[in-house]
Structures are given as structure tokens and as C-alpha cells.
């Protein structure tokens, strides 16, 4: 039985809306909240089941109605001070959160049967949560308050979740009643002398904790004695660390556990029987805790670390577990995170040669930052055990590397496909080879030229029909030179957008038209995403050679666009879409680094002759898939600095909905904010869905974009901007993916 004495996540006002209460129920992941009046008195409970029953009973549910109006007034509760043994008898299926109330009926704790998670500050620690990373400062400040603050700064920069100090009252702690070590064995004498020199006073410790609060960083502390624990309790630390040396100190364990705040307990230097005894002491107070596997030698031999013991420790404690490391390096800590450690603790220093055992097993600031980064990468890589899906990057590489079923000879409508009519060749644009048996024996509804792909539509047996649409703004289709005629046979777009490959820009555009021919549409163009030799346009590059070639390539696309104009009916100058650059292979830059990169882009654009075209910057995703793998974009993602660029230099945007939605997801900001800030600068639109932070090009309706809201905002902010559906592989089977998207978009746009 655990008493959670920080129950804010379980409390809602009885005047809050039902929707607000339901959102709190979802956030605490416990299926219930307790409602309070203006005096803080609990007036009822509201579970997700209560809400479901109310919804079923209502013909027109009003989610703005006060939550108190549907609350359960006959909720189960216990009084503060009720023995835990009695509380535990009340737990039963469907009742696993019992409010503990004071004499005025106010909520002081939540009784739960176990601990999936423990909360310190604003962070949940435990199953399903990222590792809680603690930078152990300990006494590595050498008794210097300023050095302690410097170490806090280093930990903030490294991205840890928490720092940890140690506090001792030497008079209470040692048998001599002071730091005097005469008569002690050599080991204790050495340790006592170090502590006498390098401990912070209680007042300086509180100043260090204040500084952590100023930096927005959780800070916990190890009390080595009762008086130090009282100092920390009076200050109000969010949690306590118990050192391995005190695991058998029942007096200290009882004293700290009685505070009711979370405890992180190291188990080094202890037998399993002693660990079980400590757990029993802490449990007797109902205090939440985490057990840490620890090898208390400095540095610890790898053979003694025994990370697998965390599994057994979790069973012993029935609690979250973690790892406190004293070995050299940080790779073992990363491995511990991969094995499921909910807490990682590593010492940090500014100089490994300083006096004291801890320094030699500590990490320098850069090493600490690298450990944090690698742990987060490993956590991301762990993923889930859900059924395997093909990632966005894999889908792109599958097209390039996989194989398809293609026609071995010219086939006509009405022909029955025979095995000898089909070959297996790359690339992977069409039916996968494992669909051969499904294809053989099918009657074709279309002509398939030798070397062309077979598609899923060839299995359906239905001919493609003509596609007509009505939109409030001009709509178009992405094309290559060879796509134009087939797509115009089955649709009447307002315009076409040429997505050039690096080979396309080497071709004569006039060769694809009859002499004097002018199509009734207008057109736009899109610069190549990739050139031969793995070259990418990067107008922000600090490398002059890359920068200058990028300018030349953009100018070439502009020149081709001007040539194409004679073959189209264009009242306005054609739009040119360019991915301006600013990407890196391995990291995102800091916000303050972006402004000079934008200035570099503008300096490049000033060298481009833009006469006769509307040159636009495409909005970009955080993790573009380039050259078969993930990269890191930095520009035209953040809405504020993108708007600044447009306003400062009079530039216009092609808003790629998928890219910008991914950027919003990555920044954990509402997508609507991005549209509102970028909207006034939109010249052109690529409309497509998105998933997560790198799932771009998703079919409309298969991702996370709220298209109804998007359409309303774009109607207001950029009502005349034309759009194309830029679906990944939408062009295959004569634009099948594009037309599916347009069918779905018509209801909103």
C-alpha cells in the first residue's frame, strides 16, 4: 500500500466542465478524479465509467456541464491516520484509488495498492516513462558554493532531469562528535578528513537548492543523519536519496519515510535480506520509493555491476528501479536505460583529478551531455512491440531498392495476364513480387506497355474514370514531363506542378510540346531535392563552394520555368518552389544560430535573377528523408523565425502541410499556431497528411491533420493560394494516390 501525498493530478473543481474533468482523468491515467468545492473539501468522485454511463443516458450530451452535476457522492474514502493495514482491505477490483481525507474533508493523499510510477516534481518515474536522469553532484563541489552552482549549470546544459547533493551534520554523524578522526582506521580517517574539507554547510546547501529552483531543475539530497533530514524536510525538497551506506539504518529510513515524500534508495554494499528489510521499513509508512542497483566501489569493475539484478530488484521492491553507476565511462548507464532502468544516476565533475574518490568515476560536463543524449536516443530506438510497420524512410528506400512486377511485353485491355507476361525487376513502384499469383489470370482493364509496372488497381478489374473536382481555390497535380499527357486524359486540373529530378533539368523543356502549343492550364515548378553526387541545394551553407553551386542550381530552375511559360496560359508569373537548405546530418542548431543562416539564404537569393517568376521557400520538416536516411532541418520550421524572414525580406512561402505539421509535433505546439503565423505569407500549398515527427507524405485522412480546421484557417489567411496534393508515390498507377486525396479534400476545400 502506497500513499501518494501529492494528489494534485487527481483533483478537479466540481465546477469544472465534464470535458475538463475527463481530460484530467486521461492525464493521470488512473481513470478517476476527486471533485472539490471552493474550500477544497472533497464533494464526490468522477470516474471514466461515470462519464460513460452519463453519455449513454443523454440524447445530446453537454460536455460543458459542471462535473459536479454527475459526480458520485457516495465515494469511498478513509480518514487521515487510518492504519495502512486497514486501508489495504478496502482495495478491490474497480477500487484502486482511495482518497485520504483530513478532519475537514480535504484530500491529503491517495492510497494505492502498488507503484507503477513515482512522482518527483513534475516528472513521473516508472513504467512507460523516460529514464529520470540524475546528475550526482554529491560533494564534488569541494565545499565551494560557486562550484556547486557551476555544476548545476553544467547539469542543466546537459539536459538531466535532476541534480543530487549530500548533506551531513558532522557532529551528529560521527562517534567523535566532530570531524576529528584521530584513532580511526585509515579508510574512515581518510573519508572523514575529505568530508570535513569538502562538505557544504546547511545554509550553503539551501542556497544551492535555491539556485536549482532558479534554473528550473529538480534537486534532491541525501541526508546522512536525522538532523540533516530535518533541515531538508523543513526546506521542502521534492524527494530524498538514501545512500547505500544507510540501507540498514532503520532509524534514518523510518525518519525520512515518515515525511511521505518519494525516496530513491541505493542498494550497494547490501545483501538481499538487508534490501528486503529496508523495503519493509519504507512500506510501513506508505511512502513511494525507487530502488537503485548499485556497486559501491570507485571505480566499479564491470564484472561486478550486474545490471540483470535490476529485474530481481523490481520484484523485491514491487516498485520502479534504476541504476546508480560508479564505473568508468557512461556506456553501462546507457545499457541500463536500454534494460529498463527508470532512474539513472551518474556523478558529475569539472576535473577528474580533483581530490576525492567520486571524481575519478564522474563525468565531465560534455560526457554527461553525451550520456543524456545517448540515453534519449536509445529510449527512442526501443520503440514498442506493436506489429511491425514500414517506416517513412523504409518506404522511400523500398521504392528505390525493392522489386516490382512489370510487363514483359505490350498488353492490351481485355488480355488475360499469363505468367510469361510478367517479369520481376526494380524499382519497387508497382505490385510486389509476392502478388504474382494474384495477378496471373486477371483480365486487364487498361493497356500496359512492355516494361511498365502492374499496380493494385490491375487486381481490381476496374478501369480508371475521369476525375472532376470543384474547389474554392485553384488545384493542380504534381507531374514529371512524362506524366503530363496521361494525367490530362483522366482529369482537368487548373495547373500542373513540375517536380524536377536532377536529370529533368538537363532536358530541353520544349521537346515535350508541339511547336506553338499552349496548354490552357497555368503551371508551377519545384527544384530538385537531390542532385548527382549527393548534392543538395543549401543556400544557408557556410561552405562557399556549396553555397555558390546552390545559387547556380536555383537560377537554372528559374530559367527553365521561364522557358516553359510559352507553353502555358499564365496570367500570373509561375511559382517556383525551392527547399532553401539549412539542414545538417546530425543535429538541430540552437535557436540563436538560425538568424545568421536565414541571412545567408537571403544573401544568396539576392544573386538570383527572379524576373518573371514567384520564388517561394518551402516549409520544412524537422527530420527530412534525404539520400536514403534521416537528416536534420533547421530553417522554415519555427513559425516565428519563418514569419520574421518573410516580413524582413518580403519573401513568400510554399506551405507544405505535412512538413509543417511534423514541425509542430516535434516542437509540441498546436499546428494551428503555425498556420496562423505563417498564413499571411503563403503563396502556394502542398496539402498532405502527416504522422509523428517524420511521417511525411501520408494519404489525406490517414494521419493527424485536422483538415476541417486547416481549411477554415487557409480560407481566411490565404484564400487564393493554389494547391497540389503531394502524396508520397501518389503518381503511380496514373495518379491514383493524388485522386484519392482530392476525393477526400473536396469536402473541406
Amino acid at each position: 500500500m502506497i500513499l501518494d501525498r501529492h494528489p494534485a493530478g487527481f483533483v478537479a473543481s466540481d465546477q469544472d466542465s465534464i470535458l475538463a474533468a475527463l481530460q484530467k482523468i486521461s492525464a493521470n491515467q488512473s481513470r478517476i478524479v476527486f471533485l472539490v468545492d471552493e474550500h477544497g473539501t472533497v464533494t464526490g468522485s468522477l470516474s471514466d465509467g461515470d462519464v460513460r454511463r452519463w453519455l449513454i443516458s443523454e440524447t445530446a450530451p453537454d460536455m460543458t456541464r459542471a462535473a459536479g452535476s454527475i459526480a458520485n457522492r457516495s465515494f469511498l474514502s478513509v480518514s487521515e491516520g487510518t492504519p495502512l493495514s486497514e486501508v489495504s482491505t478496502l482495495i478491490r477490483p474497480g477500487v484502486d484509488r482511495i482518497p485520504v481525507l483530513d478532519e475537514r474533508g480535504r484530500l491529503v493523499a491517495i492510497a494505492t495498492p502498488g507503484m507503477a510510477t513515482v512522482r518527483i516534481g513534475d516528472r513521473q518515474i516508472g513504467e512507460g516513462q523516460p529514464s529520470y536522469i540524475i546528475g550526482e553532484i554529491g560533494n564534488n563541489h569541494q565545499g565551494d558554493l560557486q562550484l556547486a552552482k557551476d555544476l548545476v549549470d553544467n547539469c542543466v546544459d546537459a539536459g538531466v532531469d535532476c541534480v543530487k547533493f549530500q548533506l551531513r551534520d558532522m557532529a551528529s554523524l560521527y562517534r567523535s562528535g566532530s570531524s576529528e578522526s584521530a584513532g580511526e582506521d585509515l579508510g574512515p580517517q581518510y573519508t572523514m578528513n575529505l568530508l570535513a574539507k569538502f562538505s557544504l554547510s546547511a545554509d550553503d546547501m539551501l542556497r544551492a537548492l535555491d539556485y536549482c529552483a532558479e534554473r528550473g531543475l529538480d534537486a534532491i539530497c541525501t541526508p546522512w543523519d536525522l538532523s540533516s533530514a530535518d533541515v531538508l524536510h523543513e526546506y521542502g525538497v521534492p524527494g530524498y536519496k538514501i545512500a547505500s551506506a544507510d540501507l540498514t539504518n532503520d532509524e534514518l529510513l523510518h525518519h525520512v519515510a515518515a515525511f511521505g515524500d518519494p525516496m530513491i534508495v541505493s542498494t550497494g554494499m547490501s545483501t538481499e535480506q538487508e534490501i528486503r528489510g529496508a523495503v519493509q521499513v519504507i512500506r510501513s509508512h506508505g511512502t513511494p520509493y525507487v530502488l537503485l542497483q548499485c556497486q559501491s566501489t570507485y571505480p566499479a569493475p564491470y564484472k561486478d555491476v550486474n545490471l540483470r539484478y535490476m529485474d530481481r530488484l523490481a520484484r523485491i521492491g514491487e516498485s520502479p528501479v534504476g541504476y546508480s553507476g560508479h564505473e568508468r565511462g557512461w556506456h553501462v548507464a546507457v545499457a541500463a536505460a536500454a534494460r529498463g532502468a527508470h532512474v539513472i544516476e551518474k556523478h558529475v565533475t569539472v576535473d577528474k583529478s580533483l581530490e576525492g574518490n567520486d571524481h575519478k568515476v564522474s563525468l565531465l560536463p560534455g560526457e554527461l551531455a553525451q550520456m543524456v543524449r545517448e540515453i534519449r536516443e536509445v529510449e527512442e530506438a526501443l520503440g514498442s512491440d506493436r506489429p511491425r510497420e514500414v517506416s517513412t524512410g523504409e518506404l522511400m528506400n523500398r521504392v528505390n531498392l525493392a522489386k516490382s512486377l512489370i510487363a514483359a511485353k505490350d498488353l492490351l485491355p481485355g488480355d488475360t495476364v499469363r505468367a510469361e507476361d510478367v517479369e520481376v525487376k526494380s524499382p519497387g513502384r508497382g505490385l510486389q513480387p509476392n502478388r504474382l499469383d494474384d495477378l496471373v489470370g486477371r483480365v486487364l482493364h487498361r493497356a500496359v506497355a512492355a516494361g511498365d509496372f502492374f499496380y493494385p488497381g490491375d487486381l481490381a478489374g476496374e478501369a480508371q474514370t475521369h476525375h472532376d473536382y470543384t474547389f474554392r481555390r485553384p488545384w493542380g497535380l504534381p507531374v514529371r514531363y512524362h506524366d503530363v499527357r496521361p494525367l490530362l486524359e483522366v482529369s482537368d486540373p487548373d495547373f500542373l506542378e513540375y517536380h524536377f529530378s536532377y536529370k529533368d533539368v538537363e532536358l530541353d523543356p520544349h521537346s515535350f510540346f508541339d511547336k506553338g502549343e499552349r496548354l490552357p492550364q497555368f503551371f508551377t515548378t519545384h527544384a530538385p531535392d537531390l542532385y548527382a553526387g549527393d548534392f543538395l541545394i543549401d543556400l544557408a551553407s557556410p561552405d562557399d563552394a556549396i553555397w555558390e553551386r546552390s545559387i547556380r542550381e536555383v537560377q537554372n530552375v528559374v530559367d527553365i520555368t521561364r522557358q516553359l511559360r510559352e507553353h502555358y496560359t499564365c496570367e500570373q508569373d509561375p511559382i517556383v518552389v525551392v527547399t532553401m537548405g539549412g539542414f545538417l546530418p546530425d543535429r538541430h542548431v540552437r535557436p540563436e544560430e538560425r538568424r545568421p543562416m536565414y541571412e545567408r539564404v537571403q544573401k544568396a537569393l539576392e544573386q538570383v535573377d527572379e524576373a518573371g517568376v514567384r520564388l517561394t521557400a518551402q516549409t520544412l520538416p524537422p527530420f527530412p528523408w534525404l539520400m536514403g536516411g534521416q537528416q536534420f532541418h533547421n530553417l522554415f520550421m519555427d513559425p516565428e523565425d519563418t514569419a520574421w524572414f518573410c516580413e524582413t525580406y518580403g519573401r513568400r512561402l510554399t506551405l507544405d502541410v505535412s512538413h509543417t505539421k511534423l514541425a509542430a509535433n516535434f516542437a509540441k505546439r498546436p499546428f494551428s499556431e503555425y498556420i496562423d503565423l505563417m498564413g499571411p505569407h503563403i503563396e502556394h500549398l502542398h496539402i498532405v497528411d502527416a504522422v509523428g515527427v517524420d511521417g511525411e507524405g501520408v494519404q489525406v485522412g490517414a494521419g493527424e491533420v485536422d483538415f476541417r480546421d486547416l481549411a477554415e484557417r487557409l480560407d481566411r489567411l490565404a484564400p487564393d493560394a493554389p494547391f497540389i496534393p503531394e502524396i508520397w508515390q501518389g503518381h503511380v498507377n496514373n495518379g491514383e494516390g493524388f485522386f484519392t486525396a482530392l476525393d477526400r479534400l473536396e469536402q473541406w476545400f
Side-chain angles (χ1 to χ4, degrees), residues 333-355:
V334 175
R339 282 196 58 82
H342 303 122
V343 173
I344 296 292
E345 180 182 70
K346 282 289 286 184
H347 290 257
V348 59
T349 185
V350 293
D351 184 348
K352 296 184 183 184
S353 68
L354 289 174
E355 184 181 3

Side-chain angles (χ1 to χ4, degrees), residues 345-516:
E345 180 182 70
K346 282 289 286 184
H347 290 257
V348 59
T349 185
V350 293
D351 184 348
K352 296 184 183 184
S353 68
L354 289 174
E355 184 181 3
N357 283 343
D358 287 351
H359 292 286
K360 65 174 67 73
V361 298
S362 297
L363 301 180
L364 295 169
E367 294 173 332
L368 182 67
Q370 186 167 348
M371 182 194 77
V372 173
R373 186 165 56 250
E374 290 178 2
I375 286 174
R376 298 306 182 216
E377 290 170 353
V378 165
E379 288 172 339
E380 189 174 8
L382 286 172
S384 76
D385 61 355
R386 294 193 303 268
R388 194 184 194 286
E389 297 178 357
V390 181
S391 72
T392 303
E394 285 183 319
L395 284 171
M396 295 180 177
N397 283 340
R398 176 164 157 164
V399 170
N400 299 331
L401 302 174
K403 296 179 175 62
S404 300
L405 300 178
I406 67 168
K409 67 174 189 176
D410 291 339
L411 298 171
L412 299 174
D415 285 349
T416 299
V417 179
R418 301 169 301 168
E420 55 266 34
D421 298 331
V422 184
E423 294 179 330
V424 176
K425 292 186 177 180
S426 286
R429 277 176 49 188
L431 280 173
Q432 295 287 293
N434 60 1
R435 303 300 303 275
L436 177 62
D437 290 345
D438 298 328
L439 180 64
V440 171
R442 296 283 181 174
V443 177
L444 291 174
H445 60 268
R446 67 182 183 97
V448 184
D452 276 358
F453 298 95
F454 291 101
Y455 295 109
D458 295 316
L459 303 179
E462 296 178 0
Q464 193 176 51
T465 59
H466 195 275
H467 301 273
D468 296 310
Y469 299 100
T470 301
F471 290 103
R472 295 189 295 276
R473 63 181 68 238
W475 69 276
L477 292 172
V479 297
R480 301 275 300 283
Y481 284 129
H482 61 271
D483 292 328
V484 173
R485 307 297 175 176
L487 286 172
L488 290 179
E489 289 178 3
V490 294
S491 64
D492 295 308
D494 297 314
F495 72 99
L496 300 172
E497 180 161 312
Y498 287 90
H499 281 224
F500 295 129
S501 72
Y502 70 88
K503 289 214 174 266
D504 291 341
V505 296
E506 298 172 356
L507 301 174
D508 176 8
H510 302 299
S511 66
F512 295 92
F513 300 87
D514 294 334
K515 186 175 182 179

